[in-house]
Amino acid sequence: MMRLTRVELRRLFSRRLTTVALLGALILTGLMLFDSFQRAKPLSGAELASQQAQFDQAHKEWEANGAQMVQDCLTAQAEQQKTDPKAVFPCDQMEPNPATWGKPQAKFAEMMPSTLLAGSALLIFVGFLVGTSFVAAEFSSGSMANWLTFEPRRMRVYASKLAAAGLGLIPATVALLGLLTAGVWLIVHHFNPTSVTTTKVWGDLGEMGARTVALALAATLAGAAIGVLVRRTVAVLGIAVGYLVLVEGVFGQALQGARPWLLQLNVTAWLQHGATYYVDSCATDAQGHYTCQGVEKVLSFGHSSAYLGLLVVLALGLAALVFRRRDVS
Amino acid sequence: MIASTTAALAISTTGLRKTYRNRKGRHVAVAGLDLAVPLGGVHGFLGPNGSGKTTTIRMLLGLIRADAGTMSIFDHEVPDRLPDVVGRVGAIVESPKFFPAFSGRKNLQLLAEAIDRPRGIVDQVLEQTALGERGKDKYRTYSLGMKQRLAIAATLLKEPDLLIFDEPTNGLDPAGIREIRNTMRSLGEQGKTVLVSSHILDEVEQVADTVSIIGHGRLLASGRVADVIGDQTATSLRVGVADPVAAHRILTAGGLLVRQDGALLVVEGFSDGAEITRRLAAHDLFVNELIPVRADLESVFLELTADEGLETVGVAR
Ligand SMILES: Nc1ncnc2c1ncn2[C@@H]1O[C@H](COP(=O)(O)OP(=O)(O)O)[C@@H](O)[C@H]1O
Ligand SMILES: [Mg+2]
């Protein structure tokens, strides 16, 4: 079993798709860092000057017409309140304020979570792709039959493939997450040396990183299991895209009650330790108007852990059953 | 039939059955096959296309499940105890299958590592199969002959006692065919057991010591090649003679089945050339050409199935 896993690991990293996928992930990580760099970068002298000019312009406008602008705003608000009594327009915040005008200074605690979420999505996809193709290629090339004439104990073969895919991707996932985090931290501190990151923020980020690694591992294993079931990488990807578009997109929009069972929402809830989503709540009010309102709902971390865990266990178990009995030719 | 003393058998099956089920319905591929392959030497597994040879081999190797029957390799029940014997069995099922994007050497290295063979063995078997130089090239660039040689190299990684080759000469050029046949013969002479499936009678006759003939998933005949193919085969003779009309009359009068084929006569079901020459010479007709015609698989089949009282077996070549 150890030996088989070692061989499978060697095969995993001899595959071009593995190299290409990891390189691609590295490049995308670089792009994310570049994006962070752009967002963190303070304005240049020329930009500052043009910003100041814009502010002066806005301020002059305010001096001249401010009273009228507030008046118009209040009128519009009153108009709106006839149909929607709760409507509030920001009429008291219309004066240009030099403190909020222009680009705020970069803060690690503000930039990192969203960057990490994007990075996680990437790593989960890479894990799934590498896992699925690692197994499916063996079926579609026919070399699985040959392999089984060297090691006929199917459960060992199955377990060694899963183990290799998982073990191979964990270090890569950790390394890329580390790179992303270190990169953003360095960028922020380069432009804003006074930015402080509390231990609480670091703790949260650490937990989110750990959850990303766990989910990327689960995606790799599930990908490998689906590879066993479907046996063709292209078919798996087709099914995955079709599922995301049709079920998660179209069906998920139409059938709001199904949202807690959508993969994307559960993945977000798992990564962010809970997620919110909106469903329309429609009713006829006292005046006989039929109105709909977005109601915020929470998908709990516990729900997503149980649901995603169940899905992965189901995929692994089903693939094991099928692989154990299937005719391989 | 070979005596069924299991002790001296490399492979034996009894009542082996496999039915494929798919959208088009059920198809009985192997229908109660009793196979006995003796230890040592080359055993031909002869049958027309679709007779169930590959299916049988896959069941022996645990790749597909039998519906009924028992199988054993070197007295180990398979598939249950296959892990105990698989290290002694090298097999190529249908066409060779390796990772196309890996080199031949890389493919072999992975296999060798999986069964814990020393590193040097890969170069050794590449050398043995004359692939040495091309070992570093990607498998997908190999010619069919080279793929077949790589597959043989892979079986040799195990230093097997039993080799199973499924129609190994299919699609090869004459040089490749000769090479593979020589390899099989030499393995048989080294005392290993070689099971080679084929739909070509000549091939089995050339390389095999013993043979099992199957049709429609059932055993039709088995034993030493000379006995099974030699005896049960109705050969014929093609005879060239200056006056074919007179010769036709004389031979027919002698009770032989003769038909004219162009300028030659064909004497069906008769292989004694000396007798033909003698009879014609007695009438001053001299044979200028005498070609024994080997029965092909079809006629062997017709005869075997007639003997067994089975319905005629369709033969595709
Ligand atoms: N996977 C399969 N599904 C359905 N039928 C099959 C399958 N494989 C083989 N068969 C059928 O089973 C019969 C025996 O096939 P096979 O064992 O490949 O014969 P052979 O190797 O002697 O040519 C054939 O009629 C073939 O069409
Ligand atoms: Mg076949």
Side-chain angles (χ1 to χ4, degrees), chain B residues 101-162:
Chain B
F102 290 172
S103 68
R105 167 177 277 111
K106 177 104 213 177
N107 270 295
L108 293 188
Q109 278 169 343
L110 292 172
L111 290 168
E113 203 181 325
I115 56 170
D116 204 14
R117 301 287 297 155
R119 286 189 157 260
I121 188 125
V122 169
D123 288 320
Q124 194 182 314
V125 298
L126 281 172
E127 220 44 66
Q128 249 173 296
T129 48
L131 278 169
E133 266 303 287
R134 296 294 308 276
K136 61 182 186 317
D137 295 341
K138 282 196 161 76
Y139 175 72
R140 77 157 74 87
T141 67
Y142 286 12
S143 69
L144 186 59
M146 291 169 60
K147 290 180 175 173
Q148 199 66 262
R149 291 214 297 271
L150 186 72
I152 292 180
T155 64
L156 297 179
L157 289 173
K158 296 182 181 180
E159 297 184 338
D161 299 317
L162 169 65

Side-chain angles (χ1 to χ4, degrees), chain A residues 3 6-7 10-11 14 138 141-143 145-150 152-154 325-329, chain B residues 18 58 61-65 82-83 86 97-100 102 106 109-111 113-116 154 158:
Chain A
R3 176 156 21 96
R6 217 168 43 230
V7 183
R10 233 155 59 81
R11 184 167 75 80
S14 304
E138 205 165 2
S141 71
S143 30
N146 196 27
W147 192 251
L148 290 175
T149 66
F150 280 72
R153 286 168 292 194
R154 299 238 180 142
R325 299 194 54 94
R326 178 154 67 199
D327 286 357
V328 175
S329 51
Chain B
K18 175 72 183 182
R58 287 207 171 107
L61 296 170
L63 295 176
I64 64 180
R65 286 179 170 259
L82 190 58
V86 78
K97 302 261 169 58
F98 292 96
F99 291 106
F102 290 172
K106 177 104 213 177
Q109 278 169 343
L110 292 172
L111 290 168
E113 203 181 325
I115 56 170
D116 204 14
K158 296 182 181 180

Side-chain angles (χ1 to χ4, degrees), chain A residues 329, chain B residues 20 22 27 29 48-56 94 166-167:
Chain A
S329 51
Chain B
Y20 287 113
N22 55 23
H27 180 89
N49 286 333
S51 55
K53 302 182 296 295
T54 301
T55 303
T56 303
E94 280 193 334
D166 187 16
E167 312 228 16

